[in-house]
Amino acid sequence: MACADFIIQVPALSFPGLLEDLAADGFEIDVLDIIRRWSADRFVVFYLGPVRIDWMQPILPIYSRVLQGATNEAWFGSHLKVATAAGLIVTKMVAFRLQDQTDIESLLIANRDEIDLDFILTEWAPFADTEPERTAWLTGMIAKHVPKR
């Protein structure tokens, strides 16, 4: 199953209309449930056919720094800020679900020659002492997949 992760910030007054537009375009969305969960959990999941869509709110400062380094990309007549591979790795380290771990390893492999390790390690540093297992895992994955520079 494919998955698309988004960090989005939408004004509260625009949010119901956005969800209704997506539902009208075929996304599998229970508008009232998503609104409730969005305000409580700051994270929602919905589908477009077999594609899982994960939306997260940028509530941690780390997300803002990832978005600052993102590039503007054209997408279906609009523009989106797209995080770098290093930025994605940092956000996935925060969630650290099994799928995130798989994604991090794939991102390290695919971007091994140009991955911004300084950004990853600097942004992860505030979490390193309180998350020693995650930090050890990340260090191991970098050692395994990224050539020494």
Side-chain angles (χ1 to χ4, degrees), residues 39-60:
S39 61
D41 301 339
R42 310 285 190 220
F43 177 85
V44 294
V45 175
F46 53 92
Y47 292 85
L48 177 62
V51 179
R52 175 185 161 131
I53 313 293
D54 291 358
W55 275 5
M56 297 170 279
Q57 293 184 42
I59 56 174
L60 298 174

Side-chain angles (χ1 to χ4, degrees), residues 101-143:
Q101 294 169 44
T102 301
D103 292 345
I104 290 167
E105 191 167 10
S106 296
L107 286 163
L108 287 170
I109 292 167
N111 297 279
R112 66 184 327 130
D113 295 325
E114 67 272 348
I115 194 78
D116 187 347
L117 294 177
D118 290 337
F119 180 82
I120 295 168
L121 298 174
T122 299
E123 294 304 318
W124 183 251
F127 303 97
D129 289 340
T130 57
E131 295 292 344
E133 294 85 11
R134 290 185 196 195
T135 303
W137 181 89
L138 175 62
T139 304
M141 287 296 107
I142 290 170

Side-chain angles (χ1 to χ4, degrees), residues 13-73:
L13 292 175
S14 302
F15 195 61
L18 172 61
L19 294 173
E20 289 168 1
D21 289 347
L22 290 171
D25 286 341
F27 288 80
E28 299 167 27
I29 295 176
D30 179 332
V31 173
L32 292 177
D33 181 55
I34 294 285
I35 291 170
R36 180 187 53 76
R37 288 190 296 129
W38 186 247
S39 61
D41 301 339
R42 310 285 190 220
F43 177 85
V44 294
V45 175
F46 53 92
Y47 292 85
L48 177 62
V51 179
R52 175 185 161 131
I53 313 293
D54 291 358
W55 275 5
M56 297 170 279
Q57 293 184 42
I59 56 174
L60 298 174
I62 198 168
Y63 294 138
S64 296
R65 290 189 293 277
V66 166
L67 291 174
Q68 287 171 357
T71 60
N72 283 316
E73 303 289 338

